[in-house]
Amino acid sequence: MLVTRTSMEYGRLRIVEVVSGEQERSNPGIWIATVSQQFISSCGDIHNISFPFHVQGDPSYTCNNDDYTLSCDNNRTVLQLLFGNYYVKSINYTDESIRLVDVGIQTNNICSSFPLSSLTPSNLTFSIDFPFYWVESTSVSSVVFLSCEKPVQSPKYINRTAYCNTTRDDAGNGYYSYVMAGDVRVSDVADSCTVEVLYMSSSQLISERGSNLSWLDFNRELGYGFEAQWSFGGCHKCKERASCFGDSENVTAVCHFYCYTPASFLQNFFGKKSF
């Protein structure tokens, strides 16, 4: 018997009801619950949210831990990391990647657009003791936001102040705001400047042109976000996560990579402890 689903819109969330079913013929590795249940499967532009993620408030989710929990805020999907909140731009379940952008980046308001927290590849947790995200340093461009007491004339500096018509901070002190991107060195920071935020981007245009962009174009590209990978780090963690979804996930199928890949390969891939 094929699974029968009905979907209903409740505000910004799409609720899908599983009426009955056995193993899906289109995907023999996935089983769907045979008892009636409801689960939240989308928010805004992010559809078909599935293992290992779930949307906050999903009544079918049976665990108390919040790993991989997504919230729906004003029709936008949000992932909370230790360092701050990030809008989810896309999720690729095949290569276990997720594209994120700091909630402070506003492509429709260049004067208010600013990362609310610093984030670099080295910031992200890398441990096999719990689920983690990581970014390949070679896949992103470094982005540095600076506050300067004096104007700086340099081709490496993108002038934010010129677009917002302000040269004073809240205390009335001299204030000039700039951004640098690409291969930024400590020596590139002028004496009158202070680094405010370190950020990163997977934008191809920023990678190709670095600081050779207007702030208007640069900010638009920041809206693309950065690509991060996720992983469980081990078989038992994957199974633990899959069990939170009850009968809707075939644990053996979704955890095959972590449970049936040689330990020596996983050690080299993830580093640190044995499995």
Side-chain angles (χ1 to χ4, degrees), residues 40-112:
I40 302 169
S41 65
S42 68
C43 172
D45 295 332
I46 308 299
H47 303 288
N48 301 318
I49 296 170
S50 59
F51 177 86
F53 298 98
H54 78 278
V55 180
Q56 191 174 44
D58 185 344
S60 70
Y61 185 72
T62 61
C63 293
N64 293 324
N65 68 64
D66 291 327
D67 300 326
Y68 304 106
T69 298
L70 305 176
S71 60
C72 197
D73 184 11
N74 293 322
N75 209 30
R76 300 189 70 175
T77 308
V78 178
L79 173 66
Q80 183 177 7
L81 298 178
L82 178 64
F83 319 97
N85 293 334
Y86 297 84
Y87 289 128
V88 178
K89 305 292 288 186
S90 66
I91 302 175
N92 187 324
Y93 294 96
T94 302
D95 63 7
E96 297 187 341
S97 67
I98 183 169
R99 183 154 52 90
L100 306 168
V101 62
D102 189 289
V103 295
I105 298 297
Q106 302 177 42
T107 55
N108 60 347
N109 188 339
I110 59 175
C111 293
S112 299

Side-chain angles (χ1 to χ4, degrees), residues 106-231:
Q106 302 177 42
T107 55
N108 60 347
N109 188 339
I110 59 175
C111 293
S112 299
S113 185
F114 193 85
L116 300 185
S117 57
S118 285
L119 188 66
T120 66
S122 61
N123 284 148
L124 292 178
T125 301
F126 193 90
S127 169
I128 66 170
D129 294 327
F130 46 87
F132 61 85
Y133 300 87
W134 83 92
V135 172
E136 291 286 350
S137 59
T138 56
S139 69
V140 293
S141 300
S142 297
V143 178
V144 182
F145 286 77
L146 304 106
S147 172
C148 305
E149 296 178 357
K150 300 177 182 179
V152 178
Q153 300 296 326
S154 170
K156 293 186 176 183
Y157 281 58
I158 299 173
N159 192 341
R160 295 180 66 240
T161 308
Y163 283 85
C164 301
N165 193 29
T166 177
T167 57
R168 296 287 171 180
D169 61 16
D170 294 338
N173 301 313
Y175 177 84
Y176 299 88
S177 183
Y178 298 94
V179 182
M180 288 194 291
D183 184 19
V184 181
R185 303 175 182 276
V186 175
S187 58
D188 294 327
V189 180
D191 292 339
S192 66
C193 299
T194 301
V195 173
E196 291 190 293
V197 173
L198 299 176
Y199 195 57
M200 54 190 174
S201 172
S202 294
S203 161
Q204 183 176 350
L205 189 59
I206 290 179
S207 174
E208 293 173 350
R209 300 184 60 180
S211 296
N212 190 26
L213 289 167
S214 69
W215 169 238
L216 183 64
D217 292 336
F218 191 89
N219 185 63
R220 185 183 301 116
E221 291 301 309
L222 284 179
Y224 177 81
F226 59 89
E227 298 276 356
Q229 306 290 135
W230 78 75
S231 180

